[in-house]
Amino acid sequence: MKTIKYFITALSIGTIINSCSSDLNTLPNGDISGEQLNDDKTKAEKILGGIYLDLRSNGAGGTTLHSDFGIMAIKAGADLMSNDVIQSTNQHLGMFYNYDATNANNSAAEFVWTTFYARIFVINKLLDDLKNDNSTSNRAIAGQLHALRAYSYFYLIRFYANDYKDHKQDPGLPLVLTNNNQSQGLSRATVAEVYQQITKDIEESIILLGSYARSSRAQIDQRTAKAIASEIYLQTGDYTKAGKYANESRQGIALMTENDYTTTGFSNINNPEVIWGFHNTTATMSIGNYYASFFSMFDNTNRGYAGAAQIYKLIDKRLYDAIPETDYRKKVFNGSQKADYTFNGTQKNYPPYVSWKFKDPTLFEGDYIYIRASSLYYTEAEALARQGREAEARQVLYEITSQRNKAYTLSSKAGNELINEIILQKRIELWGEGYAWFDMKRLSTPLERIYPGTNHTFGRFNLAPDKFKFQIPNKEINNNPQIKQNES
């Protein structure tokens, strides 16, 4: 058996008001013994809170590695596999940048898999317990659970299977949907079958969360579920639903100001754009390791692995050069020369192309942001463009880009040129936030890190998009005779 640490906690107004922890002994194929999970239905909200806490904690993927810290680790790792994000030296998270993470025996292949499947097992148990209770409070809990299961499978399918387009009948994932007979092990459902379940879960979530008013941005409400849905439908090519849900989710949300963007807006859950995130405190950080955290890895100004150990995160030279001088987003990156930069009263000298985007004025207690409203503008714009509604797409793109760059004018581009402009602006806006590699895979964009003047480091190579797939971790292969491995 392997042991996965699972935290049971209650969330209230974005803070943890009551918590304890227990170990869930999980059989190799994912069965959870009933007596180990609290069957008292009055504790369902606390267990749900534990899932949220687990997804931002060190050890979420069942390891003690400092690269294993939940959703933010996986988002960071995915972006390090793109053309746009560079790591200066081969240390923590380096296995993503040099693609070692895709190998079955690599720790990253294991902790990405376990982070989501371990939560899916608990979600299934809770949904089974709640299925006969239609109270208002339990409908809201069930709605969040369905959204979390959709979100989990959506990440897993994009890591461990081929892209949806042209690969619908390819092997996908084992679809574990109940708490019954999990000890039997399951074969891989097709990519299409997995996406069918993902869309079923997210649509059910949107219905169940219709009247739910959350107390914290750490919880999923209907707006969040629609944001997740928009990304799912962009992936499957249902551009009508992708655009609809993106538009509905972003309504009533103000964009970040220049001050928000260039100072500490990316470590503050009160950032007006935050749709879903997690408010970190001294108490929550004590659960995991301070250094095993996002800002330790991506805040080059802090005293963590990036700032103190100089495992810097850099922007690709080509992307930096593509940002106009009039665009204030360029201010969060260094240029082509070493430069001094002062933050939080400390001045340091930094290498070329280093990022100053993610700045945490505390010691790794900065809040985590999973989804920002900005991402929805690009989803909506691309969805509109692909429906042939190009004038509307240009207007949506203008609404956000003109806020970042006062010199920006309404685009006159059409066809693929318009879509390319949307994707470029998305890459600039969401650098380091976990979108670039998934878009490369979806759009069949190759990895190209060898070019004249490249600033890529130990991951300097090119790859075709058919290599953008993880192998199933060896532990799963060894313990589940029904599952077949991806080719290397």
Side-chain angles (χ1 to χ4, degrees), residues 201-251:
D201 270 330
I202 202 63
E203 292 288 357
E204 180 71 8
S205 171
I206 290 169
I207 293 169
L208 290 171
L209 294 173
S211 61
Y212 171 60
R214 64 185 178 183
S215 60
S216 162
R217 289 182 180 181
Q219 298 158 315
I220 292 176
D221 61 359
Q222 189 184 65
R223 183 192 296 275
T224 310
K226 287 181 177 181
I228 295 169
S230 71
E231 194 174 352
I232 292 167
Y233 286 120
L234 188 68
Q235 185 76 35
T236 62
D238 189 337
Y239 301 120
T240 300
K241 285 188 176 180
K244 171 181 179 291
Y245 282 133
N247 178 272
E248 290 176 358
S249 182
R250 70 177 178 86
Q251 291 304 308

Coordinates of all heavy atoms in Angstrom, one line a residue, residues 201-251:
D201 N -19.6 16.2 -15.9 CA -19.3 16.6 -14.5 C -19.4 18.2 -14.4 O -20.0 18.7 -13.5 CB -18.0 16.2 -14.0 CG -18.0 14.8 -13.3 OD1 -19.0 14.5 -12.7 OD2 -17.0 14.1 -13.4
I202 N -18.8 18.8 -15.4 CA -18.8 20.3 -15.3 C -20.1 20.9 -15.5 O -20.5 21.9 -14.9 CB -17.7 20.9 -16.2 CG1 -17.3 22.3 -15.7 CG2 -18.1 21.0 -17.6 CD1 -16.7 22.4 -14.3
E203 N -20.9 20.3 -16.4 CA -22.3 20.8 -16.6 C -23.2 20.5 -15.4 O -24.0 21.4 -15.0 CB -22.9 20.1 -17.8 CG -22.3 20.5 -19.2 CD -22.6 21.9 -19.6 OE1 -23.4 22.6 -18.9 OE2 -22.1 22.4 -20.6
E204 N -23.0 19.4 -14.7 CA -23.7 19.1 -13.5 C -23.3 20.1 -12.4 O -24.2 20.6 -11.7 CB -23.4 17.7 -13.0 CG -24.1 17.2 -11.8 CD -25.6 17.0 -11.9 OE1 -26.1 17.1 -13.1 OE2 -26.3 16.8 -10.9
S205 N -22.1 20.4 -12.4 CA -21.6 21.4 -11.4 C -22.2 22.8 -11.6 O -22.7 23.4 -10.6 CB -20.1 21.5 -11.5 OG -19.6 22.6 -10.7
I206 N -22.3 23.2 -12.8 CA -22.9 24.5 -13.1 C -24.3 24.6 -12.7 O -24.8 25.6 -12.1 CB -22.8 24.8 -14.6 CG1 -21.3 25.1 -15.0 CG2 -23.6 26.0 -15.0 CD1 -21.0 25.1 -16.5
I207 N -25.1 23.5 -12.9 CA -26.5 23.4 -12.4 C -26.6 23.5 -10.9 O -27.3 24.3 -10.3 CB -27.2 22.2 -13.0 CG1 -27.3 22.2 -14.5 CG2 -28.5 22.0 -12.3 CD1 -27.7 20.9 -15.1
L208 N -25.8 22.6 -10.2 CA -25.9 22.5 -8.8 C -25.4 23.8 -8.0 O -25.9 24.0 -6.9 CB -25.0 21.3 -8.3 CG -25.6 19.9 -8.7 CD1 -24.5 18.8 -8.3 CD2 -26.9 19.6 -7.9
L209 N -24.5 24.5 -8.7 CA -24.0 25.7 -8.0 C -24.8 27.0 -8.4 O -24.3 28.1 -8.0 CB -22.5 25.9 -8.4 CG -21.6 24.8 -7.9 CD1 -20.2 24.9 -8.5 CD2 -21.5 24.8 -6.3
G210 N -25.9 26.8 -9.0 CA -26.7 28.0 -9.5 C -27.0 29.0 -8.4 O -26.9 30.2 -8.7
S211 N -27.3 28.6 -7.2 CA -27.7 29.6 -6.1 C -26.7 29.6 -5.0 O -26.9 30.3 -4.0 CB -29.0 29.2 -5.6 OG -29.0 27.9 -5.0
Y212 N -25.5 29.0 -5.2 CA -24.5 28.9 -4.2 C -23.7 30.2 -4.1 O -23.2 30.7 -5.1 CB -23.6 27.7 -4.4 CG -22.4 27.7 -3.5 CD1 -22.5 27.6 -2.2 CD2 -21.1 27.7 -4.1 CE1 -21.4 27.5 -1.3 CE2 -20.0 27.6 -3.3 CZ -20.1 27.5 -1.9 OH -19.0 27.4 -1.1
A213 N -23.6 30.8 -2.9 CA -22.8 32.0 -2.7 C -21.6 31.6 -1.8 O -21.8 31.3 -0.6 CB -23.6 33.1 -2.0
R214 N -20.5 31.5 -2.3 CA -19.3 31.0 -1.5 C -18.8 32.1 -0.5 O -19.1 33.3 -0.7 CB -18.2 30.7 -2.5 CG -17.6 31.9 -3.2 CD -16.5 31.4 -4.2 NE -16.0 32.6 -5.0 CZ -15.1 32.4 -6.0 NH1 -14.7 31.2 -6.3 NH2 -14.7 33.5 -6.6
S215 N -18.2 31.6 0.5 CA -17.6 32.5 1.5 C -16.2 32.8 1.3 O -15.6 33.7 2.0 CB -17.8 31.8 2.9 OG -17.1 30.6 3.0
S216 N -15.5 32.1 0.3 CA -14.1 32.3 0.1 C -13.8 32.0 -1.4 O -14.5 31.2 -2.0 CB -13.3 31.4 1.0 OG -12.0 31.2 0.5
R217 N -12.8 32.7 -1.9 CA -12.4 32.5 -3.3 C -11.7 31.1 -3.4 O -11.3 30.7 -4.5 CB -11.5 33.6 -3.8 CG -12.3 34.9 -4.1 CD -11.4 36.0 -4.6 NE -12.2 37.2 -4.9 CZ -11.7 38.3 -5.4 NH1 -10.4 38.4 -5.7 NH2 -12.4 39.4 -5.6
A218 N -11.4 30.5 -2.3 CA -10.8 29.1 -2.3 C -11.9 28.1 -2.8 O -11.5 27.0 -3.1 CB -10.3 28.8 -1.0
Q219 N -13.1 28.5 -2.7 CA -14.2 27.5 -3.1 C -14.7 27.8 -4.5 O -14.6 28.9 -5.0 CB -15.4 27.7 -2.1 CG -15.0 27.4 -0.6 CD -15.9 28.1 0.4 OE1 -16.2 29.2 0.2 NE2 -16.3 27.3 1.4
I220 N -15.1 26.7 -5.1 CA -15.6 26.8 -6.5 C -17.1 27.2 -6.5 O -17.9 26.5 -5.8 CB -15.4 25.5 -7.2 CG1 -13.9 25.2 -7.5 CG2 -16.2 25.5 -8.6 CD1 -13.6 23.9 -8.1
D221 N -17.4 28.3 -7.1 CA -18.8 28.6 -7.3 C -19.2 28.5 -8.8 O -18.4 28.0 -9.6 CB -19.1 30.1 -6.8 CG -18.3 31.1 -7.5 OD1 -17.5 30.8 -8.4 OD2 -18.5 32.3 -7.2
Q222 N -20.4 28.9 -9.1 CA -20.8 28.8 -10.5 C -19.9 29.5 -11.5 O -19.6 29.1 -12.6 CB -22.3 29.2 -10.7 CG -22.8 28.8 -12.1 CD -24.3 29.3 -12.3 OE1 -24.5 30.5 -12.4 NE2 -25.2 28.4 -12.4
R223 N -19.5 30.7 -11.1 CA -18.6 31.5 -12.0 C -17.3 30.7 -12.3 O -16.9 30.7 -13.4 CB -18.3 32.8 -11.3 CG -17.4 33.7 -12.2 CD -16.8 34.9 -11.4 NE -17.8 35.8 -10.9 CZ -18.3 36.8 -11.6 NH1 -17.9 37.0 -12.9 NH2 -19.2 37.7 -11.1
T224 N -16.8 30.1 -11.2 CA -15.6 29.3 -11.4 C -15.8 28.1 -12.3 O -15.0 27.8 -13.2 CB -15.0 28.8 -10.0 OG1 -15.0 30.0 -9.1 CG2 -13.7 28.2 -10.2
A225 N -16.9 27.4 -12.0 CA -17.3 26.3 -12.9 C -17.4 26.6 -14.3 O -17.0 25.9 -15.2 CB -18.6 25.6 -12.4
K226 N -18.0 27.8 -14.6 CA -18.1 28.2 -16.0 C -16.7 28.6 -16.6 O -16.5 28.3 -17.8 CB -19.0 29.5 -16.1 CG -20.5 29.1 -15.9 CD -21.4 30.3 -16.0 CE -22.8 30.0 -15.9 NZ -23.7 31.2 -16.0
A227 N -15.8 29.1 -15.8 CA -14.5 29.4 -16.3 C -13.8 28.1 -16.6 O -13.1 28.0 -17.7 CB -13.7 30.1 -15.2
I228 N -13.9 27.1 -15.8 CA -13.3 25.8 -16.1 C -13.9 25.2 -17.3 O -13.3 24.6 -18.2 CB -13.5 24.8 -14.9 CG1 -12.7 25.3 -13.7 CG2 -13.0 23.4 -15.2 CD1 -13.0 24.6 -12.4
A229 N -15.3 25.3 -17.4 CA -16.0 24.8 -18.6 C -15.5 25.4 -19.9 O -15.4 24.7 -20.9 CB -17.5 25.0 -18.4
S230 N -15.3 26.7 -19.9 CA -14.8 27.4 -21.1 C -13.5 26.9 -21.6 O -13.4 26.7 -22.8 CB -14.7 28.9 -20.8 OG -13.6 29.2 -20.0
E231 N -12.6 26.5 -20.7 CA -11.3 26.0 -21.2 C -11.5 24.5 -21.7 O -10.9 24.1 -22.7 CB -10.4 26.0 -20.0 CG -8.9 25.8 -20.4 CD -7.9 25.9 -19.3 OE1 -8.3 26.4 -18.2 OE2 -6.8 25.6 -19.5
I232 N -12.4 23.8 -21.0 CA -12.7 22.4 -21.5 C -13.2 22.4 -22.9 O -12.8 21.7 -23.8 CB -13.6 21.7 -20.5 CG1 -13.0 21.5 -19.2 CG2 -14.1 20.4 -21.1 CD1 -13.9 21.1 -18.1
Y233 N -14.2 23.3 -23.2 CA -14.8 23.3 -24.5 C -13.9 23.9 -25.6 O -14.0 23.6 -26.7 CB -16.2 24.1 -24.4 CG -17.2 23.3 -23.7 CD1 -17.9 23.8 -22.5 CD2 -17.6 22.1 -24.2 CE1 -18.8 23.0 -21.9 CE2 -18.6 21.3 -23.6 CZ -19.2 21.8 -22.4 OH -20.2 21.0 -21.8
L234 N -13.0 24.8 -25.2 CA -12.0 25.3 -26.1 C -11.2 24.1 -26.6 O -10.8 24.0 -27.8 CB -11.1 26.4 -25.5 CG -10.2 27.1 -26.4 CD1 -10.9 27.9 -27.5 CD2 -9.2 28.0 -25.6
Q235 N -10.8 23.2 -25.6 CA -10.0 22.0 -25.9 C -10.8 21.1 -26.9 O -10.2 20.5 -27.8 CB -9.7 21.3 -24.6 CG -8.7 20.1 -24.8 CD -7.3 20.6 -25.0 OE1 -6.9 21.6 -24.4 NE2 -6.6 19.8 -25.8
T236 N -12.1 20.9 -26.7 CA -12.8 19.9 -27.5 C -13.3 20.5 -28.8 O -13.8 19.8 -29.7 CB -14.0 19.4 -26.7 OG1 -14.9 20.5 -26.4 CG2 -13.6 18.7 -25.4
G237 N -13.2 21.9 -29.0 CA -13.6 22.5 -30.2 C -15.0 22.9 -30.2 O -15.6 23.2 -31.3
D238 N -15.7 22.9 -29.1 CA -17.1 23.4 -29.0 C -17.0 24.9 -28.7 O -17.1 25.3 -27.6 CB -17.8 22.6 -27.9 CG -19.3 23.0 -27.9 OD1 -19.7 24.0 -28.4 OD2 -20.1 22.2 -27.4
Y239 N -16.8 25.6 -29.8 CA -16.4 27.1 -29.6 C -17.6 27.9 -29.2 O -17.5 28.9 -28.5 CB -15.8 27.6 -30.9 CG -14.6 26.9 -31.3 CD1 -14.5 26.2 -32.5 CD2 -13.5 26.8 -30.4 CE1 -13.3 25.5 -32.8 CE2 -12.3 26.1 -30.7 CZ -12.3 25.5 -31.9 OH -11.1 24.8 -32.3
T240 N -18.8 27.4 -29.5 CA -20.0 28.1 -29.0 C -20.1 28.1 -27.5 O -20.3 29.2 -26.8 CB -21.3 27.5 -29.6 OG1 -21.2 27.6 -31.0 CG2 -22.5 28.3 -29.1
K241 N -19.9 27.0 -26.9 CA -20.0 26.9 -25.4 C -18.8 27.5 -24.8 O -18.9 28.1 -23.7 CB -20.1 25.4 -25.0 CG -21.5 24.8 -25.2 CD -21.6 23.4 -24.6 CE -23.0 22.9 -24.7 NZ -23.2 21.5 -24.1
A242 N -17.6 27.3 -25.4 CA -16.4 27.9 -24.9 C -16.5 29.5 -24.7 O -16.2 30.1 -23.7 CB -15.2 27.6 -25.7
G243 N -17.0 30.1 -25.8 CA -17.2 31.5 -25.8 C -18.3 32.0 -24.8 O -18.1 33.0 -24.1
K244 N -19.4 31.2 -24.8 CA -20.5 31.6 -23.9 C -20.1 31.5 -22.5 O -20.3 32.5 -21.7 CB -21.6 30.6 -24.2 CG -22.8 30.7 -23.2 CD -23.9 29.6 -23.5 CE -25.0 29.7 -22.5 NZ -24.7 29.2 -21.2
Y245 N -19.4 30.4 -22.0 CA -19.1 30.3 -20.6 C -18.0 31.3 -20.2 O -18.0 31.8 -19.1 CB -18.7 28.9 -20.3 CG -19.8 27.9 -20.2 CD1 -19.8 26.7 -20.8 CD2 -20.9 28.3 -19.4 CE1 -20.9 25.8 -20.6 CE2 -22.0 27.4 -19.2 CZ -22.0 26.2 -19.8 OH -23.0 25.3 -19.7
A246 N -17.0 31.6 -21.2 CA -16.0 32.5 -20.9 C -16.6 33.9 -20.6 O -16.2 34.6 -19.7 CB -15.0 32.6 -22.0
N247 N -17.5 34.3 -21.5 CA -18.2 35.6 -21.4 C -18.9 35.7 -20.1 O -18.9 36.7 -19.4 CB -19.1 35.8 -22.6 CG -19.8 37.2 -22.5 OD1 -20.9 37.3 -21.9 ND2 -19.2 38.2 -23.1
E248 N -19.7 34.7 -19.8 CA -20.5 34.7 -18.6 C -19.7 34.8 -17.3 O -20.0 35.5 -16.3 CB -21.5 33.5 -18.5 CG -22.6 33.6 -19.6 CD -23.4 32.3 -19.6 OE1 -23.2 31.4 -18.8 OE2 -24.4 32.3 -20.4
S249 N -18.6 34.0 -17.3 CA -17.7 34.0 -16.1 C -17.0 35.3 -15.8 O -16.8 35.6 -14.7 CB -16.7 32.8 -16.3 OG -15.9 32.7 -15.1
R250 N -16.7 36.0 -16.9 CA -15.9 37.3 -16.6 C -16.8 38.5 -16.4 O -16.2 39.5 -16.0 CB -15.0 37.5 -17.8 CG -15.6 37.9 -19.1 CD -14.6 38.2 -20.2 NE -15.1 38.6 -21.5 CZ -15.5 39.8 -21.8 NH1 -15.4 40.8 -20.9 NH2 -16.0 40.1 -23.0
Q251 N -18.1 38.3 -16.5 CA -18.9 39.5 -16.3 C -18.8 40.1 -14.9 O -18.9 39.3 -13.9 CB -20.4 39.1 -16.7 CG -20.6 38.9 -18.1 CD -20.2 40.0 -19.0 OE1 -20.6 41.2 -18.8 NE2 -19.4 39.7 -20.0

